[in-house]
Amino acid sequence: MHGGSYLVARRIEIVLRQWDQTAVVRQERTIGRSKVAGAVLADLPLHAHILLSSHGANNGAKLLRRGYSYVDGIDRASGAPAAGVLFICYQRDPRRQFILIQHQLAARDSLNQFISHVGSAIFACPPGATGGGYVGEGLLG
Ligand code: HEM
């Protein structure tokens, strides 16, 4: 896998009703950014999501990430939308990147009161093929 990467995918449910009923000031303090301007809050709370997930709080660890929101019908038990984020990230070494950051978030992130991780997957992505070669060549050679 030298030169390749790993993709971690998480299906994360959000209790949207609870989030929507939360005052904007508290939403902003949960994430750590102003909702309209997107700017980092001047008095960033210690448990804010962007602070705890930042490389400064994780030994320099970074991710190439993207969240895709999903709505998957209505939850029968609660009558609320079954909605959330399909979180996807790439990295060289999940042990030193996703897992490290996720441990930190699981322990302290303010966002935890609104979310639960309900699905998880990891994919090995071999490096691109060179001229005359093929994808995955290094694994078989
Ligand atoms: C439903 C779950 C999540 C929501 C709603 C969420 C939301 C956000 C938002 C609004 C931001 C700030 C804007 C941005 O930089 O894109 C952010 C930043 C970030 N999030 Fe999440 N996030 C979630 C889950 C996660 C997870 C599971 C991880 C990693 C384990 C993560 C890692 C990060 C990182 C690394 C940043 C950038 C921090 C920085 O500015 O240095 N997030 N997230």
Side-chain angles (χ1 to χ4, degrees), residues 72-108:
D72 194 12
I74 300 290
D75 180 64
R76 281 175 187 239
S78 63
V85 168
L86 184 59
F87 176 88
I88 291 175
C89 63
Y90 282 98
Q91 61 249 267
R92 182 176 295 190
D93 182 350
R95 292 165 301 188
R96 285 196 269 163
Q97 292 162 274
F98 176 79
I99 295 173
L100 189 99
I101 298 170
Q102 181 52 40
H103 268 159
Q104 167 94 274
L105 295 179
R108 284 177 274 281

Side-chain angles (χ1 to χ4, degrees), residues 10-14 19 31-33 38 40 49-56 58 61-63 65 67 84-87 89 97-103 105 109 111 114-117:
R10 287 269 163 142
R11 184 170 155 126
I12 308 174
E13 231 169 61
I14 305 180
W19 177 258
I31 297 291
R33 288 186 183 272
V40 177
H49 179 73
I50 61 157
L51 178 63
L52 292 174
S53 57
S54 69
H55 57 96
N58 292 286
K62 290 182 183 176
L63 301 167
R65 77 200 150 87
V85 168
L86 184 59
F87 176 88
C89 63
Q97 292 162 274
F98 176 79
I99 295 173
L100 189 99
I101 298 170
Q102 181 52 40
H103 268 159
L105 295 179
D109 190 1
L111 201 54
F114 303 100
I115 65 173
S116 34
H117 291 231

Side-chain angles (χ1 to χ4, degrees), residues 6-63:
Y6 291 87
L7 182 153
V8 172
R10 287 269 163 142
R11 184 170 155 126
I12 308 174
E13 231 169 61
I14 305 180
V15 188
L16 275 186
R17 205 177 269 174
Q18 188 192 342
W19 177 258
D20 286 342
Q21 285 168 358
T22 300
V24 171
V25 176
R26 236 190 94 205
Q27 292 181 349
E28 292 180 331
R29 295 184 67 73
T30 300
I31 297 291
R33 288 186 183 272
S34 142
K35 199 164 182 177
V36 175
V40 177
L41 300 183
D43 58 339
L44 190 57
L46 288 176
H47 293 239
H49 179 73
I50 61 157
L51 178 63
L52 292 174
S53 57
S54 69
H55 57 96
N58 292 286
N59 252 336
K62 290 182 183 176
L63 301 167

